[in-house]
Amino acid sequence: MNSKDYIEKAEQSVLHTYNRFPVVLDRGEGVYLTDVDGKQYLDFGAGIAVFALGYGNQAYNDALKEQVDRLIHTSNLYYHAPLADAAEKLVRVSEMDKVFFTNSGTEAIEGAIKTARKYAFLKDGRTDHEIIAMNHSFHGRSVGALSVTGNPHYQEAFKPLMGGVRFADFNDLASVEAQVTDRTCAIILETVQGEGGIYPATPEFLSGVKQLCEERDILLILDEIQCGMGRTGSYFAWQQYGVKPDIMTCAKALGCGVPVGAFVLNEKVAKASLVPGDHGTTYGGNPLACAAVSKVFDLFEEMHLVEHVREIAPYLEEKLDALVDQYAFLRLRRGKGLMQGLVVQGRPVGEIVNRALDNGLIVLSAGSDVLRLVPPLIITKEDVDEMVRRLELSF
Ligand SMILES: *Cc1c(COP(=O)(O)O)cnc(C)c1O
């Protein structure tokens, strides 16, 4: 069967909720993917900022295979060694105190929301707490996560959503202050907005929000699902701002392809929020998922991936800035580390993304006018040069 056959077959049975590109991916090696027709793609999307290690990392694959043969699943009624390992490593690199593993990013957000509400409930016994979220944010598609996602287009048909959410403007501290009430229990934001168009928080904004949270005993929830795990040049983006959250969410590159997410709490919140019976999941943090997380952290250390991002990112930025200088329709570059966006003016981003695919390059869009680059963290200068070559062919 070729691509066309697989696509036809899939369309017969798969609910049509994605406008997929007409490509049937088959295998990967390093930063290249190959489709069933044998065509190769340089991947600067990494499965939406997931595959940090690159494809076909043998040590990672072997760790998973070993765990598959040993034990894939147990439920959370029991302990297992990968859980202890993965939790210890995530807590250590995140400088946080306690972790709850989920199966996805959206579930990590759900857990963060419940934790914040429980913390506030234990404090004042009220049941009308509010959360402040940001316009143009993205936190996931389940009803709770969708309720704090500042994109009316995603929300419209699914109302009524979860109540008690107020929206403010990202990087506008006054607009956040204006939404604070005596019922505010949490402020949630992405340290670097991803889907909304690659907007890094300004240092003044993030420290201003943190100060506001401390003054009013409001919990700061930082969504590091896309910008975390080394992508911006530190394990978590907030570590470069020196603004520590009370609750952090993580997913995407956390398992590097095995579905797993987490919400991570500081001690203050961990000891005064969720207790047995409050929250749970059948799969969340099962042995296979935790073996993946544990190995990912080992490999990040062995491969010095975070350091590598700090080394290679300036080269990528330089090359992208040169494109902005050269092409009038590229208005500016925004981003941090290996999470970069090019703002496109006067022509549809989708057209460039499509043409890039024809030219064997995977890039993503974000927002309505941003070309998003979130490659595997292992990219080299040669990969950046090749990306630029294929991208320019697609302009
Ligand atoms: C992808 C993403 C989510 C949702 O994660 P899923 O695993 O798709 O549920 C939430 N927040 C941010 C910032 C994301 O990029």
Side-chain angles (χ1 to χ4, degrees), residues 116-134:
R117 283 184 164 183
K118 180 77 192 287
Y119 177 86
F121 173 78
L122 289 176
K123 214 171 52 175
D124 62 17
R126 294 176 72 145
T127 53
D128 58 354
H129 292 109
E130 295 173 349
I131 294 175
I132 300 173
M134 301 300 133

Side-chain angles (χ1 to χ4, degrees), residues 104-106 109 138-140 190 195 223 225-226 251-252:
S104 66
T106 199
I109 298 292
F138 183 83
H139 298 293
E190 295 151 87
E195 305 297 315
D223 181 346
I225 290 170
Q226 187 161 159
K252 291 201 163 85

Side-chain angles (χ1 to χ4, degrees), residues 80-92 99 101 254 260 285-286 289-295 297:
H80 49 85
L83 172 69
D85 289 338
E88 186 264 327
K89 289 169 190 171
L90 177 52
V91 160
R92 176 158 43 79
V99 53
F101 286 109
L254 179 62
V260 58
N286 83 3
C290 285
V293 172
S294 184
K295 195 66 189 178
F297 282 120

Side-chain angles (χ1 to χ4, degrees), residues 63-365:
L64 292 186
K65 287 174 195 166
E66 206 176 294
Q67 191 60 47
V68 165
D69 286 337
R70 183 178 291 274
L71 183 66
I72 295 177
H73 181 75
T74 60
S75 90
N76 282 306
L77 298 174
Y78 313 98
Y79 296 90
H80 49 85
L83 172 69
D85 289 338
E88 186 264 327
K89 289 169 190 171
L90 177 52
V91 160
R92 176 158 43 79
V93 302
S94 68
E95 309 170 53
M96 302 286 281
D97 296 295
K98 291 278 163 32
V99 53
F100 182 103
F101 286 109
T102 66
N103 308 292
S104 66
T106 199
E107 287 167 86
I109 298 292
E110 296 293 328
I113 292 171
K114 281 181 70 176
T115 303
R117 283 184 164 183
K118 180 77 192 287
Y119 177 86
F121 173 78
L122 289 176
K123 214 171 52 175
D124 62 17
R126 294 176 72 145
T127 53
D128 58 354
H129 292 109
E130 295 173 349
I131 294 175
I132 300 173
M134 301 300 133
N135 291 315
H136 306 295
S137 61
F138 183 83
H139 298 293
R141 305 291 200 140
S142 57
V143 170
L146 189 58
S147 303
V148 292
T149 288
N151 185 333
H153 175 69
Y154 289 159
Q155 294 183 335
E156 188 59 28
F158 306 102
K159 289 183 170 179
L161 296 172
M162 182 184 84
V165 181
R166 292 165 171 264
F167 285 96
D169 288 328
F170 192 68
N171 281 342
D172 179 348
L173 186 59
S175 83
V176 178
E177 283 165 349
Q179 298 301 328
V180 174
T181 71
D182 62 349
R183 284 159 293 159
T184 309
C185 69
I187 299 174
I188 182 168
L189 55 102
E190 295 151 87
T191 318
V192 181
Q193 283 194 337
E195 305 297 315
I198 315 290
Y199 288 92
T202 62
E204 312 78 63
F205 177 66
L206 207 56
S207 49
V209 169
K210 174 74 180 177
Q211 199 183 339
L212 184 63
C213 286
E214 280 177 352
E215 283 165 11
R216 306 286 297 254
D217 198 15
I218 295 167
L219 299 182
L220 176 61
I221 305 173
L222 290 182
D223 181 346
E224 291 260 349
I225 290 170
Q226 187 161 159
C227 62
M229 293 304 289
R231 180 148 298 279
T232 66
S234 51
Y235 263 109
F236 296 99
W238 63 260
Q239 289 167 323
Q240 288 172 62
Y241 293 82
V243 172
K244 193 170 172 175
D246 298 292
I247 305 173
M248 179 187 83
T249 57
C250 188
K252 291 201 163 85
L254 179 62
C256 278
V258 171
V260 58
F263 58 95
V264 196
L265 314 177
N266 67 12
E267 190 62 35
K268 174 180 92 170
V269 179
K271 68 171 195 250
S273 56
L274 302 180
V275 295
D278 278 343
H279 200 55
T281 156
T282 301
Y283 278 139
N286 83 3
L288 184 64
C290 285
V293 172
S294 184
K295 195 66 189 178
V296 164
F297 282 120
D298 290 350
L299 290 169
F300 263 64
E301 297 293 318
E302 282 166 33
M303 296 162 73
H304 305 288
L305 268 188
V306 180
E307 294 82 351
H308 177 69
V309 171
R310 282 203 293 269
E311 274 165 29
I312 192 77
Y315 187 74
L316 175 63
E317 288 178 349
E318 184 189 307
K319 293 289 160 177
L320 295 177
D321 286 341
L323 290 177
V324 170
D325 286 344
Q326 195 178 343
Y327 295 93
F329 70 91
L330 295 178
R331 207 160 59 75
L332 55 90
R333 174 189 64 79
R334 252 193 328 251
K336 240 181 171 14
L338 294 186
M339 183 172 182
Q340 295 288 338
L342 289 172
V343 180
V344 176
Q345 198 170 32
R347 60 162 98 174
V349 177
E351 233 169 59
I352 300 172
V353 173
N354 276 316
R355 257 199 304 248
L357 206 58
D358 289 341
N359 291 318
L361 172 67
I362 293 179
V363 287
L364 309 174
S365 60

